Amino acid sequence: MTERNAVPLPLQDVTPTSDALECIEAHVSAGGSYRRYRHASKALGCDMTFGIFLPPQAVDALCPVVWWLSGLTCTDENFMQKAGAHRVAAERGIILVCPDTSPRDTGIESDDDPLYLGAGAGFYLNATQAPWQAHYRMFDYVTEELPELIRQNFPVAKRCSIMGHSMGGLGALVCGLRLRDRYCAISAFAPMAHPSSAPWGQAAFSAYLGNDPTLWLDYDPCVLVQEELSPADAIPILIDQGDADPYLDEQLCAEDFRDACLSANYPLTLRYQAGYDHSYFFVASFIEEHLHHHADALSKEDDTF
């Protein structure tokens, strides 16, 4: 006898009605729904895409959001396809949102641009220097414009947290530390933790923000974590770092961030994972623990979650 498993609910009731969003891809995943949308961004002056995973609970309940910020050269698709995050997000009733990593098709990127500039390298900052300042305002996009668009179109609770990988880990730390009343938890995989002292960060900051290093401080986690705050305002941070990561010492500077947190008495869990590199194999190996870290922090904000 042939058995047929029940088809997961396709979440038709969670389809946005706004004309501002164009659904360009949709899949049933882990009993929920993974979708990609395109929309016109006022903050960036171009069309942008983002991915969203809606758990089954989103059919009849508001669900908290965990934001994922991806790294250099990535798009909104890498995490959603490679990290294996949907099953735990479905179990814990979490909405995952993954924006693209930069503006696209702005006319200022070229094949000659190095790895740390242009398409795929938005660094989650607001550029102030020509020609980047007209489009590269990723901090405003991921903290203001896109969250408002998500709130208007999907069943999201007020509670949210943020995580990311590499350049996206830098973005998660910066957003979380600058907007401590916004997020319940922060985590990162191999983040660029001290960009002001690392070649990739210095090159990007010089181009996007200018050559005065004092103008970079708003985007350096080692500086932001030193700001005075009460213990109640400290957002828990979890960082996983592979000890076989080829970028560890020169670009990522995990020990600098650990020392800054120790100096500021800031709660940090930094774990070195033996043998792991910088790839999504590393991310996929520990994503479940990170999602539980976020879900546990989010649940403390509301007993109904």
Side-chain angles (χ1 to χ4, degrees):
M1 183 176 69
T2 300
E3 294 185 3
R4 186 182 298 274
N5 292 330
V7 177
L9 199 63
L11 300 182
Q12 295 99 328
D13 295 339
V14 196
T15 299
T17 58
S18 172
D19 293 336
L21 292 178
E22 175 192 0
C23 185
I24 56 178
E25 190 173 347
H27 305 278
V28 172
S29 179
S33 177
Y34 161 55
R35 307 171 187 177
R36 295 182 69 221
Y37 289 94
R38 180 184 294 115
H39 72 103
S41 167
K42 293 181 180 179
L44 305 179
C46 63
D47 286 348
M48 291 291 289
T49 60
F50 68 88
I52 184 168
F53 173 75
L54 297 158
Q57 296 89 331
V59 171
D60 53 18
L62 299 181
C63 296
V65 175
V66 176
W67 290 85
W68 171 270
L69 305 182
S70 290
L72 283 169
T73 75
C74 291
T75 68
D76 61 282
E77 295 184 271
N78 298 71
F79 172 76
M80 291 293 193
Q81 294 183 359
K82 295 181 178 181
H86 293 176
R87 180 180 59 80
V88 175
E91 291 174 0
R92 299 299 301 260
I94 291 171
I95 292 174
L96 300 173
V97 179
C98 182
D100 200 353
T101 53
S102 76
R104 305 278 174 174
D105 301 319
T106 61
I108 58 175
E109 299 92 357
S110 75
D111 292 337
D112 296 329
D113 282 336
L115 174 68
Y116 45 75
L117 287 179
F123 272 81
Y124 305 102
L125 52 73
N126 289 338
T128 59
Q129 303 298 302
W132 311 102
Q133 81 278 23
H135 297 285
Y136 279 69
R137 303 189 61 81
M138 287 295 292
F139 182 81
D140 284 353
Y141 177 69
V142 300
T143 64
E144 299 297 335
E145 184 179 28
L146 187 55
E148 180 60 26
L149 191 67
I150 297 296
R151 282 192 293 270
Q152 291 174 355
N153 288 280
F154 299 99
V156 297
K158 183 178 180 180
R159 293 159 289 136
C160 68
S161 63
I162 192 165
M163 62 178 174
H165 172 230
S166 193
M167 177 188 72
L170 164 63
L173 291 172
V174 168
C175 293
L177 290 170
R178 286 182 59 174
L179 301 170
R180 295 175 185 178
D181 60 344
R182 174 85 58 87
Y183 304 102
C184 298
I186 306 167
S187 77
F189 293 85
M192 297 179 187
H194 195 185
S196 295
S197 69
W200 282 348
Q202 291 171 341
F205 285 2
S206 295
Y208 291 143
L209 303 172
N211 292 321
D212 181 355
T214 63
L215 302 177
W216 306 349
L217 303 184
D218 283 344
Y219 301 102
D220 193 318
C222 283
V223 175
L224 296 173
V225 80
Q226 299 282 341
E227 295 179 0
E228 290 187 17
L229 75 162
S230 67
D233 293 330
I235 306 169
I237 298 176
L238 169 64
I239 292 178
D240 272 317
Q241 172 63 62
D243 70 0
D245 190 321
Y247 308 118
L248 174 57
D249 294 329
E250 184 179 25
Q251 304 289 3
L252 305 180
C253 309
E255 290 299 297
D256 289 358
F257 188 65
R258 183 206 62 178
D259 292 345
C261 288
L262 286 173
S263 174
N265 196 29
Y266 195 95
L268 167 69
T269 300
L270 171 60
R271 310 187 304 189
Y272 284 97
Q273 304 294 353
Y276 285 91
D277 56 22
H278 200 70
S279 70
Y280 264 89
F281 296 107
F282 164 54
V283 173
S285 297
F286 300 99
I287 190 63
E288 291 191 16
E289 296 175 38
H290 281 244
L291 289 173
H292 287 306
H293 164 78
H294 289 281
D296 291 344
L298 290 163
S299 68
K300 294 176 183 178
E301 298 296 314
D302 188 334
D303 292 338
T304 64
F305 172 50

